[in-house]
Amino acid sequence: MKVIIIGGGAAGMMAALSAREQGAEVTILERQARVGRKLLATGNGRCNLSNTKLTLKNYHGQDARFADFALSNFNTEKTLEYFENLGLITTVEPSGKVYPLSDQAGSVVDVLRLALEEKGVEVRTAFEVTGVKKGKKGGFQVLSKEETLQADSVIICCGGMAGGKLGGTQSGYELLKSMGHTMTKLFPVLVQIKTDATYVKALKGVRADGAVLVERNGKILAENAGEIQFTDFGVSGPAIFEISRAISTGKSPMTIHLNLLRNLSHEEVVSLLHNRKKTMPNQTLENFLTGILHNRLGRTILRYAGFGFTDPIHTLKSSDIKRIAYAIQDFEIPVIGAMGFDAAQVTAGGIRTEEFNPKTMESYLMPNLYAAGEVLDIDGDCGGYNLQWAWASGYLAGKHASQQKKSPTPYKKK
């Protein structure tokens, strides 16, 4: 069996290793100068490659249940065992996030690259696929401007639109559409949020722990907690990435609410501020929240609550302290929208999963055509879930693409 894999990212490399283990002749075609380039940037260069607390609730799409078989068949435990056999030592954080012990994404890419080389997978970089057609004598023709390659099976692992500067592309969607497949609307997710800049612009570079929720007309659309990073255009950070899907796919108007002392009740915050007034009555308001919040963030909260910086702290009334406490625990920021695909880590939406067999990743429309990873309409939360989907779906596709089989049950469009 000759298997060609289009795309040398996480799903593509795993599909190649899986197919080669079944005895297939395997070639990866990657349009960039090297495989795994996008993988190098994941987890801020640390590569959060999986999560030990994974459940199906961490996945999204028109039918997230499609991912269940692949994720169960090649689960986190099997993934870590697989990478250990490749020579990668990993460590698990209390959150369940799995990283290479080296803390370098390059370690993950390198063990995969070396395994491809060791197992005899042909890797062709700077190879731009322009089309895929059914061959006249069976199999497929994979086209480029320079040449045409023959294959018995083809696996599309081109990834999605996210991270255009690192290799995000539409090519996988276009190739599958040319072969009869359809797709959902695409949205950038795990992405920074653009907000009204009135207060956040002065906070560029500030990080804070907090709870965040997205609200529209009084209805909570999403909520999360963790690190929040302020930018000159809005908010970012792990806690924001988690709720970005609700903003990217939602409708205006939306508001972000931040609780910057999430582990304290409102009464505890009020008491804390009254004690601060007692201990430093002669200081100016500019220093009222020093030691409680980042200095710039504290001053911004005071300004948001309607206070200046020059009055002595002892002039604060009880009602003023309550107002400041509310501002700390419900800092409202109007949302403009999610940043675009170039800034996003993941694409929500993709090729419709109902057109593929979840137990093999094979197309119902065209025998021996497979797809895996982000090109399909499955996306995961922040925390290693998207890479686990890439490993699991790629492994399953590679395993079945390398086997001689009967044609799948024809798909009937609804």
Side-chain angles (χ1 to χ4, degrees):
M1 288 285 288
K2 169 67 175 177
V3 178
I4 286 183
I5 297 164
I6 303 174
M13 287 189 283
M14 183 59 78
L17 292 173
S18 177
R20 190 73 188 100
E21 287 164 6
Q22 298 296 320
E25 180 186 346
V26 183
T27 299
I28 292 177
L29 304 178
E30 168 56 49
R31 69 188 185 92
Q32 298 202 87
R34 61 180 300 182
V35 294
R37 186 179 174 210
K38 200 171 178 182
L39 190 57
L40 287 170
T42 60
N44 289 323
R46 297 175 62 204
C47 192
N48 179 192
L49 69 153
S50 190
N51 197 299
T52 60
K53 298 182 179 180
L54 179 152
T55 71
L56 199 56
K57 292 180 180 179
N58 297 114
Y59 292 90
H60 314 279
Q62 288 194 338
D63 183 9
R65 293 172 301 175
F66 176 87
D68 190 34
F69 184 86
L71 292 169
S72 300
N73 179 73
F74 197 72
N75 58 24
T76 300
E77 183 180 355
K78 288 184 179 178
T79 299
L80 299 188
E81 182 182 343
Y82 193 92
F83 274 100
E84 183 181 352
N85 289 334
L86 295 184
L88 184 74
I89 300 175
T90 58
T91 182
V92 182
E93 296 189 343
S95 63
K97 294 179 180 179
V98 181
Y99 291 93
L101 186 62
S102 68
D103 234 17
Q104 296 293 315
S107 296
V108 180
V109 176
D110 285 343
V111 297
L112 288 167
R113 179 178 55 79
L114 292 172
L116 293 171
E117 184 178 313
E118 187 68 25
K119 294 180 185 294
V121 174
E122 181 184 11
V123 177
R124 300 188 61 178
T125 56
F127 193 106
E128 187 80 46
V129 174
T130 58
V132 177
K133 298 193 304 184
K134 286 293 291 183
K136 294 179 181 179
K137 298 181 180 179
F140 295 91
Q141 293 181 330
V142 180
L143 313 175
S144 73
K145 291 181 179 178
E146 291 79 24
E147 61 184 307
T148 298
L149 305 180
Q150 306 296 323
D152 298 302
S153 297
V154 169
I155 310 176
I156 306 293
C157 298
C158 301
M161 286 279 288
K165 294 178 180 178
L166 295 172
T169 176
Q170 295 188 61
S171 61
Y173 308 124
E174 296 303 323
L175 289 173
L176 286 165
K177 282 166 62 179
S178 74
M179 304 181 84
H181 283 281
T182 59
M183 62 186 290
T184 68
K185 190 173 181 181
L186 305 178
F187 300 94
V189 295
L190 303 191
V191 67
Q192 304 98 321
I193 302 302
K194 190 173 183 180
T195 69
D196 180 277
T198 303
Y199 297 104
V200 302
K201 192 169 185 178
L203 296 173
K204 180 180 179 181
V206 172
R207 297 170 185 246
D209 175 81
V212 54
L213 67 83
V214 182
E215 165 266 324
R216 180 177 181 268
N217 296 332
K219 180 180 179 181
I220 296 175
L221 304 179
E223 52 188 321
N224 193 32
E227 183 181 298
I228 299 161
Q229 300 171 9
F230 293 92
T231 70
D232 56 350
F233 57 78
V235 285
S236 182
I240 298 299
F241 288 160
E242 285 285 13
I243 55 89
S244 65
R245 194 179 204 280
I247 292 173
S248 183
T249 60
K251 297 179 180 179
S252 297
M254 287 180 278
T255 304
I256 284 177
H257 297 253
L258 302 181
N259 180 346
L260 299 169
L261 288 177
R262 64 184 174 110
N263 295 317
L264 298 178
S265 68
H266 177 67
E267 290 73 21
E268 288 172 326
V269 175
V270 170
S271 176
L272 175 68
L273 297 183
H274 273 296
N275 287 336
R276 175 59 59 94
K277 176 183 174 181
K278 289 179 183 178
T279 58
M280 47 193 304
N282 297 316
Q283 293 291 323
T284 59
L285 279 176
E286 181 180 15
N287 299 310
F288 185 50
L289 297 179
T290 299
I292 297 174
L293 299 175
H294 185 287
N295 286 345
R296 273 194 284 150
L297 181 55
R299 290 193 290 270
T300 297
I301 289 296
L302 289 170
R303 188 161 63 92
Y304 168 77
F307 294 91
F309 300 146
T310 57
D311 291 339
I313 290 174
H314 68 75
T315 62
L316 288 174
K317 302 174 185 177
S318 180
S319 59
D320 294 333
I321 286 179
K322 286 184 178 180
R323 197 159 94 233
I324 294 169
Y326 275 118
I328 292 171
Q329 294 194 292
D330 191 13
F331 181 21
E332 295 186 25
I333 312 173
V335 170
I336 295 175
M339 297 295 282
F341 283 106
D342 278 353
Q345 293 184 19
V346 174
T347 306
I351 299 297
R352 296 183 192 276
T353 53
E354 63 184 24
E355 298 169 0
F356 287 82
N357 185 335
K359 294 185 177 181
T360 63
M361 310 308 293
E362 184 176 19
S363 167
Y364 282 131
L365 307 184
M366 188 167 291
N368 300 311
L369 175 67
Y370 297 77
E374 193 179 346
V375 72
L376 294 169
D377 179 25
I378 294 290
D379 66 282
D381 293 334
C382 184
Y385 302 105
N386 287 288
L387 276 181
Q388 182 58 44
W389 166 242
W391 310 132
S393 60
Y395 185 86
L396 196 60
K399 176 182 177 180
H400 289 279
S402 57
Q403 298 173 1
Q404 295 283 359
K405 65 193 106 46
K406 296 179 180 179
S407 296
T409 303
Y411 170 72
K412 294 181 180 179
K413 289 197 175 184
K414 299 177 180 178

